[in-house]
Amino acid sequence: MSNSKIYSILILVMLLWGLNVTWLKIIVSNGEPITIQSVRIFLAGITVFLILLLMKQKVFVKNMPWKYILIGSFFGVICHHAFMAVGIEQTTGTKTAIISGLSPLITALIAVIFKDTVMTISKLVGFLLGGLGVCIAVIQSFHEILNIELGDILVFLSFLLQAFSFIAIRRGTRTISPLLMTAYMLTIGSVILLISSLFIYPTSLSAFMTSDFQFWSIFILSGVFATGVGHSLYNLCIKHIGTAESAIFVNLNTVFALFGTALLLNEIISIQQLIGTMIIIIGVIVGTSNIEAIILKYKRSKINRKPLESSNLVNTEQQQEKIDSNKLL
């Protein structure tokens, strides 16, 4: 698969995830967040299994990488969503957006530590520009972000632990398909989350079951498309181009989330937010441009041209000598 196709898929995924920010705001207001999240993720896992069956692919193969499936499920589903659900209630949306803007850089650093990728200057600049763009887009007052609270730490941990799941996905998909990896991760993680939430909040499951048609429409959109299809496509991209390379696109979440809230919640996009989104887009372009390879290719072509130029010079001199000798004769 060419990089242009992979980048197009990642942009589509970021569009789904950006809209999902708005969908989640509506969904979690209808009941206990962890219970709703676990049922939503379970729906996503079942969706991926159905996709596998429709594609006539096996849902179980020999030598299943259970170690990486369980690691990915624990860090990417259980820890990420549990810490996020609890933490987001104890912090502001601005801080959550800033931390999520730093998550691609965190993912890339962990990928470097686990020798899953090499951090180049263009990637680093891309990550930093993306984080800066997110900060500009969401910060209204610097006083708001100076006080560090428990919720901030929990949200940060949710993204930090999720980064470990991306490493597990990268390694697990060497043995099985990204679809199969995603299906087991989402299903196992959601079942454990649901059982845990029912122990803490026994009546939480029945509380949101009586919701209206609008809630269930958004719930299905979020579970099936944003989480089920979205994570399947994202994990496919991780397999092809790597953990850090895919993470560069995550900051586009903020761009699509801003436009999503403007369209669905009638919120106004400010000039400051537009400037932030432009910086995020520039960061993605720089981070995926692979400037170092372009410079290296240019230098090599320049070195290869020099012997050719020198040989042409020798041939010219020889021809001139022949002309001079003919004149003498």
Side-chain angles (χ1 to χ4, degrees):
M1 191 182 294
S2 64
N3 281 357
S4 59
K5 286 184 179 178
I6 294 170
Y7 295 161
S8 300
I9 291 171
L10 283 168
I11 291 170
L12 173 62
V13 173
M14 295 310 122
L15 172 62
L16 289 171
W17 287 0
L19 292 174
N20 196 42
V21 172
T22 307
W23 294 338
L24 286 175
K25 284 182 180 180
I26 299 169
I27 290 169
V28 296
S29 63
N30 282 264
E32 201 284 312
I34 297 180
T35 304
I36 293 175
Q37 282 283 66
S38 59
V39 176
R40 189 182 65 84
I41 298 163
F42 180 76
L43 174 62
I46 297 301
T47 300
V48 182
F49 273 119
L50 288 174
I51 292 171
L52 284 166
L53 291 172
L54 289 172
M55 294 174 65
K56 296 182 179 179
Q57 292 189 17
K58 293 180 179 179
V59 295
F60 186 85
V61 296
K62 289 182 180 180
N63 301 319
M64 289 281 287
W66 289 113
K67 179 175 75 171
Y68 294 120
I69 289 172
L70 293 174
I71 290 172
S73 184
F74 178 72
F75 288 116
V77 179
I78 299 169
C79 292
H80 174 65
H81 289 285
F83 281 122
M84 177 64 73
V86 176
I88 204 167
E89 288 186 325
Q90 302 179 41
T91 186
T92 62
T94 299
K95 288 182 180 179
T96 303
I98 293 169
I99 296 168
S100 69
L102 297 175
S103 67
L105 181 59
I106 296 168
T107 302
L109 292 174
I110 290 174
V112 170
I113 292 169
F114 281 87
K115 298 180 180 179
D116 190 68
T117 190
V118 177
M119 179 65 78
T120 62
I121 294 173
S122 58
K123 285 180 190 175
L124 181 60
V125 171
F127 285 124
L128 293 175
L129 282 174
L132 175 63
V134 171
C135 291
I136 291 172
V138 300
I139 292 177
Q140 300 298 324
S141 171
F142 282 98
H143 295 290
E144 184 183 359
I145 63 172
L146 293 178
N147 291 327
I148 297 176
E149 301 171 349
L150 177 61
D152 306 329
I153 298 170
L154 292 175
V155 172
F156 175 78
L157 282 174
S158 75
F159 286 107
L160 175 65
L161 296 175
Q162 187 188 37
F164 289 100
S165 75
F166 295 146
I167 305 297
I169 291 165
R170 172 76 165 169
R171 298 186 180 182
T173 51
R174 292 171 185 170
T175 308
I176 59 175
S177 72
L179 272 176
L180 193 57
M181 182 88 179
T182 306
Y184 277 100
M185 277 178 52
L186 293 176
T187 306
I188 292 171
S190 63
V191 169
I192 295 172
L193 263 182
L194 181 59
I195 293 170
S196 303
S197 67
L198 291 177
F199 269 113
I200 302 170
Y201 308 101
T203 60
S204 59
L205 191 59
S206 58
F208 81 96
M209 285 295 181
T210 56
S211 300
D212 58 15
F213 176 77
Q214 182 188 11
F215 168 82
W216 286 110
S217 300
I218 296 171
F219 187 85
I220 291 169
L221 281 172
S222 176
V224 173
F225 293 100
T227 304
V229 176
H231 277 279
S232 298
L233 292 174
Y234 187 78
N235 292 345
L236 174 68
C237 295
I238 287 177
K239 178 181 180 179
H240 282 283
I241 64 172
T243 307
E245 290 76 3
S246 300
I248 291 173
F249 286 82
V250 172
N251 281 325
L252 289 176
N253 274 354
T254 304
V255 176
F256 292 121
L258 286 172
F259 286 102
T261 54
L263 290 171
L264 301 175
L265 301 179
N266 297 319
E267 294 184 8
I268 298 171
I269 299 176
S270 65
I271 298 297
Q272 178 183 333
Q273 289 172 330
L274 286 174
I275 293 170
T277 58
M278 289 301 298
I279 294 173
I280 292 170
I281 293 169
I282 292 168
V284 173
I285 294 170
V286 172
T288 56
S289 61
N290 204 0
I291 296 172
E292 293 81 7
I294 297 170
I295 294 171
L296 183 61
K297 187 177 180 180
Y298 172 75
K299 286 181 178 179
R300 284 177 178 173
S301 64
K302 200 172 180 181
I303 292 168
N304 292 332
R305 241 191 339 259
K306 283 183 179 179
L308 184 63
E309 289 173 356
S310 60
S311 64
N312 289 336
L313 182 63
V314 171
N315 291 333
T316 305
E317 289 176 352
Q318 289 175 350
Q319 288 173 2
Q320 188 63 42
E321 286 177 2
K322 284 182 180 180
I323 293 168
D324 292 341
S325 62
N326 288 332
K327 283 182 180 179
L328 289 173
L329 291 172

